[in-house]
């Protein structure tokens, strides 16, 4: 039996930009990914605090120190 477990959490982060030309990932700054032990390409669950909607995608590593989380 295969059991999925989420091992990292970024709570109440805000998406700072969306790129509609690129479909299927979320770009997270490298320093934030390191702080929560998230690997590039790892599956992530993204949830909206306001609407409750959820989606699964994968993490891309963005430039460190920017604080920008980009939903693609």
């Amino acid at each position: 039996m295969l059991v999925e477990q989420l091992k990292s959490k970024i709570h109440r982060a805000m998406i700072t930009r969306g790129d509609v030309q690129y479909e299927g990932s979320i770009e997270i700054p490298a320093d934030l990914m390191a702080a929560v032990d998230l690997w590039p390409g790892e599956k992530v669950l993204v949830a909206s605090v306001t609407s409750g909607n959820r989606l699964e995608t994968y993490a891309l590593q963005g430039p460190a120190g920017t604080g920008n989380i980009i939903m693609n």
Side-chain angles (χ1 to χ4, degrees):
M1 172 174 31
L2 179 64
V3 176
E4 278 190 66
Q5 179 178 353
L6 298 174
K7 67 172 184 59
S8 305
K9 183 175 183 177
I10 302 171
H11 186 66
R12 299 288 246 178
M14 289 187 60
I15 304 296
T16 56
R17 193 175 84 206
D19 184 357
V20 296
Q21 300 302 319
Y22 187 94
E23 185 177 336
S25 67
I26 186 168
E27 184 177 304
I28 303 170
D31 52 341
L32 183 55
M33 287 182 68
V36 299
D37 191 28
L38 189 62
W39 303 342
E42 188 172 343
K43 182 166 75 170
V44 294
L45 174 67
V46 181
S48 170
V49 175
T50 55
S51 70
N53 292 335
R54 296 171 178 254
L55 65 93
E56 287 184 346
T57 188
Y58 61 95
L60 289 179
Q61 186 171 305
T66 62
N68 293 329
I69 298 178
I70 302 167
M71 192 72 216
N72 298 314

